[in-house]
């Protein structure tokens, strides 16, 4: 293909991706209140368990509107990701050999699965435990001199939830990244085993950077990362180029 043909093909794939995202955004905006209710459900359940009314506030006239816009973008990114990934594959696939296509296809399948698994871990496991922990610092006893009540803002809550879901989802791509590097010979399973202790420290540092400053959430990300690292050691050993001992 000539340069113009490549640019024309790229334009076509970008239009398909942008169109899919736009349609997903419109649909998501229609259901934005329900999507936000879904994201807020862990906090609502934690508040109800303490006998408190599940409610949040917003302090700017435009805050709720832009919160729903963020919710729609967030949901549209999830809904359109398979189509966008497919368009990316259709653009690069013609330039690959058959063996390269066979090698890349498993990674394309596993990548969204791991991302969704990371997001699901954050939503169903980390959020309930973390929200209960944070709510325990309230002081709502009738005889208290100073009442300490949570007044969560809708925008702040959404920003925290999106940050954690993306942090867990992207972190779960560790096996894909390391396995790809191992397949092209940049890293090896022996090196991963040798520097295992440093990798463990790195997992906790990464968790501390990506999550709020509480030990519960940080361990909730660091421990799965360590498990994924060990899985990566095995997967890299399976795909790394074999060294001929007589060479």
């Amino acid at each position: 293909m000539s340069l113009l043909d490549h640019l024309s093909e790229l334009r076509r794939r970008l239009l398909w991706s942008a169109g899919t995202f736009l349609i997903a955004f419109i649909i998501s905006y229609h259901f934005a209140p329900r999507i936000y209710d879904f994201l807020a459900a862990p906090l609502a359940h934690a508040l109800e368990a303490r006998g408190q009314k599940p409610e949040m506030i917003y302090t700017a006239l435009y805050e709720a509107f832009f919160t729903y816009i963020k919710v729609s973008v967030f949901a549209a990114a999830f809904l359109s990701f398979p189509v966008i990934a497919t368009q990316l594959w259709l653009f690069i696939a013609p330039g690959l050999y058959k063996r390269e296509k066979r090698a890349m296809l498993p990674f394309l399948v596993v990548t969204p699965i791991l991302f969704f698994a990371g997001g699901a871990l954050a939503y169903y496991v980390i959020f309930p435990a973390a929200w209960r922990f944070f709510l325990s610092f309230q002081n709502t006893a009738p005889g208290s001199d100073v009442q300490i009540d949570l007044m969560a803002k809708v925008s702040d809550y959404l920003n925290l939830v999106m940050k954690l879901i993306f942090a867990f989802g992207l972190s779960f791509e560790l096996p894909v990244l390391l396995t790809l590097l191992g397949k092209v010979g940049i890293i090896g399973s022996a090196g991963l085993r040798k520097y295992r202790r440093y990798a463990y420290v790195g997992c906790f540092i990464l968790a501390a950077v990506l999550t709020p400053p509480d030990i519960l959430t940080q361990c909730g990300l660091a421990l799965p990362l360590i498990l994924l690292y060990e899985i990566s050691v095995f997967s890299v050993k399976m795909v790394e180029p074999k060294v001929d001992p007589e060479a």
Side-chain angles (χ1 to χ4, degrees):
M1 296 177 63
S2 65
L3 177 60
L4 290 179
D5 291 333
H6 278 295
L7 292 177
S8 177
E9 179 70 10
L10 177 61
R11 176 178 175 273
R12 180 162 49 250
R13 301 306 171 192
L14 289 176
L15 287 175
W16 272 100
S17 300
T20 303
F21 180 84
L22 180 60
I23 294 173
F25 174 81
I26 294 173
I27 296 173
S28 299
Y29 185 78
H30 178 73
F31 295 100
R34 296 184 183 182
I35 298 172
Y36 192 90
D37 287 344
F38 173 77
L39 295 175
L43 179 60
H45 295 158
L47 287 169
E48 290 174 344
R50 294 175 55 88
Q52 297 178 246
K53 184 180 179 180
E55 61 181 358
M56 284 185 279
I57 65 170
Y58 64 95
T59 58
L61 290 175
Y62 53 81
E63 184 176 343
F65 169 73
F66 281 107
T67 298
Y68 286 149
I69 293 293
K70 291 180 182 179
V71 167
S72 304
V73 172
F74 179 76
F78 270 87
L79 293 175
S80 61
F81 177 79
V83 176
I84 294 175
T86 301
Q87 294 301 314
L88 176 62
W89 170 252
L90 291 175
F91 178 71
I92 65 175
L96 301 177
Y97 294 108
K98 288 185 178 181
R99 59 181 178 84
E100 292 174 333
K101 293 180 181 179
R102 289 195 298 267
M104 288 292 297
L105 190 58
F107 295 104
L108 294 175
V109 175
V110 171
T111 296
I113 294 176
L114 288 176
F115 185 86
F116 289 133
L121 175 66
Y123 181 86
Y124 290 105
V125 179
I126 302 301
F127 288 175
W131 299 170
R132 287 195 300 268
F133 172 76
F134 291 135
L135 289 173
S136 67
F137 291 95
Q138 292 186 105
N139 186 6
T140 57
S144 301
D145 294 331
V146 178
Q147 293 284 322
I148 303 176
D149 296 319
L150 172 69
M151 299 183 68
K153 293 180 60 179
V154 292
S155 59
D156 290 345
Y157 178 80
L158 179 65
N159 290 337
L160 177 61
V161 166
M162 290 194 303
K163 176 184 176 182
L164 288 177
I165 289 179
F166 275 113
F168 275 77
L170 293 176
S171 298
F172 268 53
E173 301 298 333
L174 180 65
V176 175
L177 175 62
L178 294 182
T179 304
L180 280 173
L181 293 176
K183 190 170 184 62
V184 299
I186 296 178
I187 61 175
S189 58
L192 294 178
R193 289 193 297 269
K194 179 180 179 182
Y195 295 103
R196 176 181 282 127
R197 67 184 67 180
Y198 303 107
Y200 286 4
V201 175
C203 289
F204 278 97
I205 293 175
L206 181 62
V209 172
L210 295 178
T211 62
D214 68 284
I215 190 65
L216 179 65
T217 311
Q218 291 174 4
C219 289
L221 179 58
L223 296 179
L225 276 177
I226 291 174
L227 176 60
L228 291 170
Y229 183 84
E230 293 299 332
I231 295 175
S232 301
V233 174
F234 176 77
S235 62
V236 169
K237 184 175 178 60
M238 296 291 293
V239 302
E240 63 186 348
K242 305 303 180 184
V243 178
D244 187 357
E246 298 181 358

